[in-house]
Amino acid sequence: MSKRILVLPGDGIGPEITAEAVKVLDALVGEGLDVELDEGLIGGAAYDAAETPLPSATLDMAREADAILLGAVGGPKWEPLDISVRPEKGLLGLRAELGLFSNLRPAILYPQLADASSLRAEIVAGLDIMIVRELTGGIYFGQPRGIRTLENGERQGFNTLVYAEHEIERIVRSACDIAMKRGKRLCSVDKANVLECTELWREVAERVVKNEYPEIELSHMYVDNAAMQLVKWPKQFDVMVTTNMFGDILSDAAAMLTGSIGMLPSASLNEKGQGMYEPIHGSAPDIAGKGVANPLATILSVAMMLRYSLGESAMAERIEKAVEQVLDQGLRTPDIMSEGMTEVNCEGMGDAVVAAL
Ligand code: NAD
């Protein structure tokens, strides 16, 4: 039976970059990849059409899909909306509904782009780290939350950081499974010196690794130190595992080490292996509609999809090699442009990857 892929272009540059990724998928379908594509609405586009950022039709299609390819959501147009119907709620809702608890964010520096990093080439050349971020728990979902008025009339904002043991166990296992396929080194990031919730995180991480993955070398690091170490000597890390909010911040810092936010894919998996694949960047309203967005992060997200949800590692590798080849050819979208290279637009980059395939 064909595997079903749901494409959710979303907002801003989302439709531009997903169109190029779909071209790559179509090229592979022409060579025997057995998938069927559906398309749905999410985020601001969905709000405009149905007054909700996550229509039930989208959710139904997402539940049926083997994998989801998402562009990006959000933009200034929807910022005045109540937080409950903002585009980002569509994305958070989808993650929660599908139980996509494990967010894999690789930070790989392509040698061709070493000069694009804000750090010196010797510090980042050859960088290959994987940040595993817990995605459905922690402070982004914890209750109670809100803004309340105190007795003295002053308003107070509050959120709750909570993790149950089973949530910590499964994300640590997910990170260990990845570490086993890489360098077998795992760094668990917490703030156990201040937050009880992450004191438990540390204890559970210790237990899971000791009992189930004795081959893995586990270390612990406070999040403030992890942020410093990432910019000081990032190559010390192999796999990092951390909470939702710490992972959100650290993975963006790691992304910047690679020089372009437009190059990095991500995957979010649930316990069934169903996954949502998306570039790590947002909807880039500043360049939306200009046709200049870099589609490579989305195209590389398709490679992750083939590897993690569709069991097609060989095709995943072909995409990754094709991306390297277009970089070797000197083709660059404006965000990664440098002297002596050839500037192409979003469509030109997508076409070049298809040609290289
Ligand atoms: P952003 O990632 O959209 O943009 C940051 C900068 O990177 C911008 O200068 C943008 O032009 C550039 N950029 C991003 N992707 C690029 C690409 N593929 N090619 C070239 N340049 C690229 O982050 P932001 O500006 O903080 O947020 C814009 C909107 O996106 C907001 O509404 C935010 O909520 C939303 N957002 C969505 C997601 C998501 O859908 N997963 C993630 C982050 C932010």
Side-chain angles (χ1 to χ4, degrees), residues 11-91:
D11 309 319
I13 59 170
E16 301 164 40
I17 52 178
T18 47
E20 299 313 311
V22 167
K23 265 189 209 166
V24 171
L25 270 172
D26 284 342
L28 292 174
V29 168
E31 295 186 24
L33 177 67
D34 190 11
V35 295
E36 277 178 32
L37 304 189
D38 293 315
E39 195 174 308
L41 288 170
I42 193 164
Y47 181 82
D48 290 348
E51 290 188 3
T52 164
L54 182 56
S56 54
T58 299
L59 195 51
D60 290 343
M61 283 194 284
R63 287 202 179 102
E64 294 300 312
D66 293 285
I68 299 160
L69 180 67
L70 180 107
V73 298
K77 179 179 173 192
W78 300 282
E79 267 160 28
L81 293 177
D82 183 75
I83 196 163
S84 64
V85 288
R86 272 201 215 140
E88 292 76 7
K89 270 283 174 200
L91 190 52

Side-chain angles (χ1 to χ4, degrees), residues 13 72-75 88 91 261-262 278 281-287 293-294 335:
I13 59 170
V73 298
E88 292 76 7
L91 190 52
I261 195 167
E278 54 179 313
H281 58 73
S283 58
D286 53 331
I287 56 166
N294 185 346
D335 57 311

Side-chain angles (χ1 to χ4, degrees), residues 210-346:
K210 190 167 159 234
N211 294 344
E212 301 171 38
Y213 300 87
E215 282 175 66
I216 289 180
E217 186 191 313
L218 174 70
S219 59
H220 303 277
M221 200 177 269
Y222 296 138
V223 63
D224 43 343
N225 187 25
M228 282 199 291
Q229 296 300 326
L230 264 180
V231 290
K232 187 177 171 207
W233 190 240
K235 285 190 267 185
Q236 68 184 279
F237 297 111
D238 176 20
V239 180
M240 301 172 93
V241 62
T242 191
T243 65
N244 201 342
M245 182 163 71
F246 295 164
D248 191 5
I249 299 164
L250 292 181
S251 56
D252 266 17
M256 210 46 234
L257 300 175
T258 73
S260 175
I261 195 167
M263 293 296 301
L264 294 175
S266 75
S268 308
L269 306 174
N270 65 17
E271 274 163 312
K272 293 186 285 186
Q274 190 189 23
M276 181 154 81
Y277 298 83
E278 54 179 313
I280 65 149
H281 58 73
S283 58
D286 53 331
I287 56 166
K290 296 183 180 159
V292 296
N294 185 346
L296 291 179
T298 318
I299 290 171
L300 289 165
S301 299
V302 170
M304 287 189 91
M305 172 191 287
L306 289 164
R307 181 171 290 122
Y308 291 108
S309 286
L310 305 181
E312 297 281 0
S313 297
M315 288 205 183
E317 259 170 54
R318 279 185 61 197
I319 295 180
E320 287 157 356
K321 289 221 171 81
V323 168
E324 290 226 30
Q325 200 175 317
V326 299
L327 294 176
D328 282 337
Q329 288 162 3
L331 302 182
R332 303 282 188 272
T333 44
D335 57 311
I336 51 172
M337 184 59 191
S338 61
E339 221 186 307
M341 301 293 135
T342 309
E343 193 169 304
V344 290
N345 62 15
C346 184

Side-chain angles (χ1 to χ4, degrees), residues 152-220:
N152 66 3
E154 191 189 5
R155 290 192 308 152
Q156 182 190 56
F158 58 102
N159 291 85
T160 307
L161 173 61
V162 277
Y163 273 112
E165 281 183 292
H166 78 273
E167 292 175 290
I168 308 170
E169 282 165 5
R170 66 182 182 179
I171 192 68
V172 171
R173 281 193 194 109
S174 181
C176 285
D177 289 339
I178 288 156
M180 287 301 286
K181 295 187 191 133
R182 297 171 46 106
K184 296 187 182 160
R185 287 187 297 115
L186 179 65
C187 179
S188 171
V189 176
D190 60 41
K191 189 74 183 169
N193 51 342
V194 178
L195 301 171
E196 289 83 352
C197 181
T198 66
E199 199 182 315
L200 181 69
W201 177 285
R202 185 176 283 223
E203 185 195 310
V204 173
E206 230 10 274
R207 187 177 72 218
V208 169
V209 174
K210 190 167 159 234
N211 294 344
E212 301 171 38
Y213 300 87
E215 282 175 66
I216 289 180
E217 186 191 313
L218 174 70
S219 59
H220 303 277

